[in-house]
Amino acid sequence: MTSNDDYVMEVLQEEGLVSSEQLAEAQRIMPLHRSVVDALIASKILSFEDVLSVLSSRFGMEMISLVNLHIPPEAIVSVPVDVARKYKIMPVSKHGNVLTVAIGDPLEVDTLDSLRYLLKCEIEGVVAPPAEIAVALDRFYATEASMETMIDQLTEGTVAMVSSGRADMREDSDVSDSDVPIIKLVSLIIYEAHRNRASDIHLEPLEKRFRVRYRIDGVMQEVDSPPKRLQAAIISRVKIMANMKISEKRVPQDGRIQVNVKGRELDLRVSTVPTGHGESVVMRILDKQNLALGLPKLGFLADDQETFTRLIGLPDGILLVTGPTGSGKTTTLYACLNFVNRPDRKIITVEDPVEYQMSGINQVQVREDIGLTFAGALRSILRQAPNIVMIGEIRDGETARIATEASLTGHLVFSTLHTNDATSAIARLQDIGVKPFLVASSIRAVLAQRLIRNVCEHCREEHKPTATELKLLGSAAEQFSSIQLYRGRGCNKCALTGYTGRAGIFEIFVINDEIQRMIFEKISAVEIRQRARELGMRTLREDGLRKVVMGITTLDEVLRATMGDQE
């Protein structure tokens, strides 16, 4: 806080936020700090937000949060990056000739006067924490700043093509000088996505702008986007890199890009879909280093890891991983294959598409256009005498029946299925035509999973459950009312979200003799689930709550991921 200390102290005392004794103590230790306000904050008598709130209220200014706030492009372009950074302000909105900007100190009225003179428009001020303004400046002005210094900062080796079929590096050698900025801009988009730990890059043509969004820790975040006039050139460049037909804009296309980002190899799975305002492009980033994930890195706690390790070491049977799209099923399967991949075992996979190339494993790409379906490929690979088979997804009854027959003839089969919980997989298999006796005989276990965000270790703080959270917990609320929990306050390391990275929560449904009998007798999924719970199966929510108690994640995250688990 750079404002006049005497005035600030007077306001705080009038509002009853500090006593004379607290003020005297702050003045005593002031030589160790820049101001009395800093001394009060360091002594935890006040928080910085308390001071901002009181001062903004005194000056009739609204206090806002910039976290996840959508700021329209017309507001951003109204303030040059050098002006925004010099005055440490963030444009928020613009209506006509009135520009609203966020400042970090309500007493800095000279800043607003200077902006009126520089920008030649009316300025309305709102107040936001300086830390949030700093993050917003980096977030919304990053692309503009990078465009200005792209040639200087983005060298040839920063993002290099590894292999892209016919596109290869020949495409780059034939480009003209006018194409170089576009090549570097696409490289910059990929580089920034990787630097921000994004799993997807979305290039979305809208009516009046070209939007770029990253999916970070499962949440879509918009970044500063290139001008609409560059839309066609950027999409064409991506299609060249992905070995797609540039002239074909009427039908969806799929492709793949292999790049090396500062020494780290990435696979980008590219998909285009025609929309009303141009082709929408999604690039899914597949980091090969994730192949080395051990089971603990997936989020298994010690007891579940022991159970799961035993299951994937069985000689035969089917192990299913279930969950909705984006729940990490493929990552779990690859971690399993990595764990069991040994020279004395032959492993074959059937995938659509092959997401990661794994050393020592035979991977078959499904090609429906030439008749190579999951079922057809599965029949053929069983003649190759594999020990372990991984099927990307069981989509129909024929694939499911071949998989069960393979498991009964001495093969260990890994696959995925789209169901909400583990026990529902039994009913799903029966629905697509697998007879109950085959399900009972072949399935060894079902793993249901979801992904939750981890609390940021850099800004983790203690947290008491709110009344709403306790209400949502239902019968489990009592045990959490007295437990010390944690949440992320939000910092530069986590882009003010309070979360960094993700891990899984799991529900392991082991098929024993009793469950086999219930499946064979066509007992309902509800009764099977109830009996599995009695035998010790933990639900997704229960596993998540264990991780809440350990400080790994938050109650809010677990409740969000397990809203369907109301038991």
Side-chain angles (χ1 to χ4, degrees):
M1 184 71 65
T2 59
S3 310
N4 182 276
D5 268 359
D6 292 337
Y7 178 77
V8 175
M9 288 301 99
E10 181 182 339
V11 172
L12 294 175
Q13 283 187 297
E14 287 178 5
E15 296 291 334
L17 291 180
V18 293
S19 64
S20 300
E21 292 78 11
Q22 290 172 326
L23 182 57
E25 174 62 20
Q27 289 171 331
R28 184 183 68 80
I29 65 172
M30 183 189 166
L32 301 175
H33 304 278
R34 291 181 302 172
S35 66
V36 177
V37 174
D38 287 340
L40 286 168
I41 293 171
S43 304
K44 297 187 177 180
I45 296 171
L46 290 174
S47 70
F48 192 78
E49 287 72 18
D50 291 335
V51 179
L52 279 186
S53 178
V54 168
L55 291 178
S56 59
S57 177
R58 179 61 63 100
F59 281 87
M61 299 173 71
E62 180 186 1
M63 185 169 176
I64 67 170
S65 173
L66 296 177
V67 179
N68 297 326
L69 179 68
H70 172 67
I71 299 177
E74 57 267 23
I76 301 294
V77 299
S78 298
V79 182
V81 61
D82 55 336
V83 173
R85 292 191 182 278
K86 176 182 178 181
Y87 290 96
K88 295 182 175 62
I89 58 99
M90 187 65 211
V92 174
S93 63
K94 187 174 184 183
H95 301 285
N97 196 43
V98 180
L99 177 68
T100 302
V101 301
I103 62 175
D105 187 346
L107 296 183
E108 289 290 328
V109 291
D110 290 344
T111 296
L112 300 180
D113 291 337
S114 298
L115 291 173
R116 290 188 184 97
Y117 174 77
L118 288 170
L119 303 177
K120 303 296 189 291
C121 64
E122 289 298 315
I123 302 293
E124 286 189 358
V126 294
V127 181
E132 294 187 12
I133 292 176
V135 171
L137 284 171
D138 288 341
R139 175 186 171 196
F140 287 96
Y141 284 100
T143 304
E144 181 175 337
S146 297
M147 284 182 185
E148 294 173 356
T149 59
M150 192 184 309
I151 295 177
D152 295 330
Q153 294 183 2
L154 202 65
T155 64
E156 287 293 324
T158 302
V159 180
M161 292 289 293
V162 176
S163 168
S164 58
R166 292 191 302 272
D168 207 16
M169 294 303 291
R170 180 191 63 209
E171 299 288 353
D172 291 344
S173 63
D174 294 338
V175 296
S176 64
D177 291 342
S178 61
D179 294 326
V180 171
I182 296 298
I183 293 173
K184 290 199 170 186
L185 178 54
V186 172
S187 295
L188 179 69
I189 291 171
I190 295 172
Y191 171 73
E192 285 294 309
H194 176 258
R195 188 175 68 85
N196 287 288
R197 302 177 294 102
S199 60
D200 301 274
I201 304 170
H202 294 251
L203 308 178
E204 302 169 316
L206 304 179
E207 183 179 4
K208 295 182 179 179
R209 64 192 183 100
F210 183 51
R211 183 168 66 179
V212 177
R213 293 194 291 174
Y214 298 154
R215 189 185 298 278
I216 302 172
D217 293 335
V219 178
M220 295 288 281
Q221 295 186 19
E222 185 170 349
V223 297
D224 198 22
S225 304
K228 177 75 172 176
R229 59 186 170 81
L230 298 181
Q231 172 182 313
I234 290 172
I235 292 175
S236 293
R237 172 59 187 166
V238 172
K239 291 170 74 173
I240 287 173
M241 295 173 70
N243 194 26
M244 295 177 178
K245 296 179 180 178
I246 303 176
S247 59
E248 182 56 81
K249 301 177 181 179
R250 301 165 300 171
V251 297
Q253 295 188 68
D254 293 306
R256 177 173 293 233
I257 302 171
Q258 288 184 286
V259 295
N260 187 299
V261 179
K262 287 196 169 182
R264 190 161 179 168
E265 285 193 12
L266 303 179
D267 278 345
L268 277 65
R269 206 172 78 197
V270 186
S271 169
T272 67
V273 174
T275 69
H277 303 292
E279 289 178 283
S280 174
V281 179
V282 176
M283 292 182 276
R284 183 177 181 189
I285 302 173
L286 306 171
D287 190 342
K288 290 185 177 181
Q289 289 194 10
N290 289 338
L291 291 180
L293 281 178
L295 297 182
K297 291 292 184 66
L298 296 177
F300 284 106
L301 299 182
D303 52 351
D304 282 346
Q305 182 181 334
E306 181 180 351
T307 300
F308 195 65
T309 302
R310 176 179 60 81
L311 291 169
I312 63 179
L314 293 173
D316 56 28
I318 297 178
L319 177 64
L320 291 175
V321 181
T322 73
T325 300
S327 60
K329 300 188 298 295
T330 302
T331 301
T332 297
L333 282 184
Y334 276 113
C336 292
L337 292 180
N338 190 59
F339 184 83
V340 300
N341 188 11
R342 301 202 306 258
D344 62 337
R345 294 178 174 176
K346 179 160 185 174
I347 303 174
I348 304 181
T349 72
V350 184
E351 305 171 64
D352 183 21
V354 174
E355 295 196 358
Y356 295 99
Q357 297 288 344
M358 297 188 71
S359 176
I361 293 178
N362 301 281
Q363 295 173 270
V364 178
Q365 167 76 54
V366 168
R367 291 281 305 276
E368 304 244 353
D369 55 330
I370 60 172
L372 185 59
T373 62
F374 271 109
L378 189 52
R379 283 196 202 91
S380 299
I381 67 173
L382 290 178
R383 302 189 193 106
Q384 299 276 313
N387 301 106
I388 298 170
V389 176
M390 193 269 272
I391 307 169
E393 181 185 347
I394 293 180
R395 298 179 178 176
D396 53 57
E398 186 179 9
T399 304
R401 284 191 296 274
I402 298 171
T404 55
E405 290 167 6
S407 71
L408 294 174
T409 54
H411 303 87
L412 179 62
V413 180
F414 295 122
S415 191
T416 68
L417 203 62
H418 286 283
T419 62
N420 289 329
D421 56 51
T423 52
S424 296
I426 304 302
R428 172 64 179 152
L429 288 172
Q430 293 177 358
D431 287 343
I432 61 177
V434 184
K435 296 187 181 300
F437 78 89
L438 285 176
V439 175
S441 304
S442 61
I443 304 296
R444 295 289 179 264
V446 183
L447 176 77
Q449 69 177 68
R450 300 289 188 278
L451 289 177
I452 52 170
R453 293 180 291 174
N454 296 334
V455 174
C456 176
E457 294 181 358
H458 299 280
C459 62
R460 194 175 78 159
E461 64 181 9
E462 296 179 350
H463 164 61
K464 287 289 184 183
T466 65
T468 302
E469 289 172 335
L470 291 174
K471 183 178 180 181
L472 288 171
L473 282 172
S475 59
E478 186 176 345
Q479 71 180 93
F480 283 89
S481 58
S482 59
I483 293 177
Q484 185 59 64
L485 306 179
Y486 296 90
R487 67 178 175 187
R489 182 178 62 256
C491 65
N492 291 343
K493 296 284 187 181
C494 60
L496 300 175
T497 62
Y499 299 97
T500 306
R502 290 191 293 175
I505 54 175
F506 305 98
E507 180 177 288
I508 304 177
F509 175 41
V510 180
I511 311 295
N512 60 15
D513 293 341
E514 183 177 353
I515 299 297
Q516 278 188 334
R517 179 187 56 79
M518 295 178 75
I519 296 171
F520 184 75
E521 294 176 358
K522 300 182 181 180
I523 303 297
S524 71
V526 174
E527 293 181 71
I528 291 176
R529 182 173 180 79
Q530 182 179 349
R531 183 55 185 153
R533 295 286 312 281
E534 293 170 356
L535 292 171
M537 182 186 79
R538 270 188 296 269
T539 65
L540 289 164
R541 175 167 292 185
E542 288 169 343
D543 187 49
L545 293 180
R546 290 201 300 167
K547 289 162 186 174
V548 170
V549 173
M550 295 173 68
I552 296 172
T553 188
T554 63
L555 265 178
D556 183 59
E557 268 296 287
V558 172
L559 292 173
R560 177 192 61 80
T562 61
M563 285 304 295
D565 186 1
Q566 300 294 338
E567 294 176 273

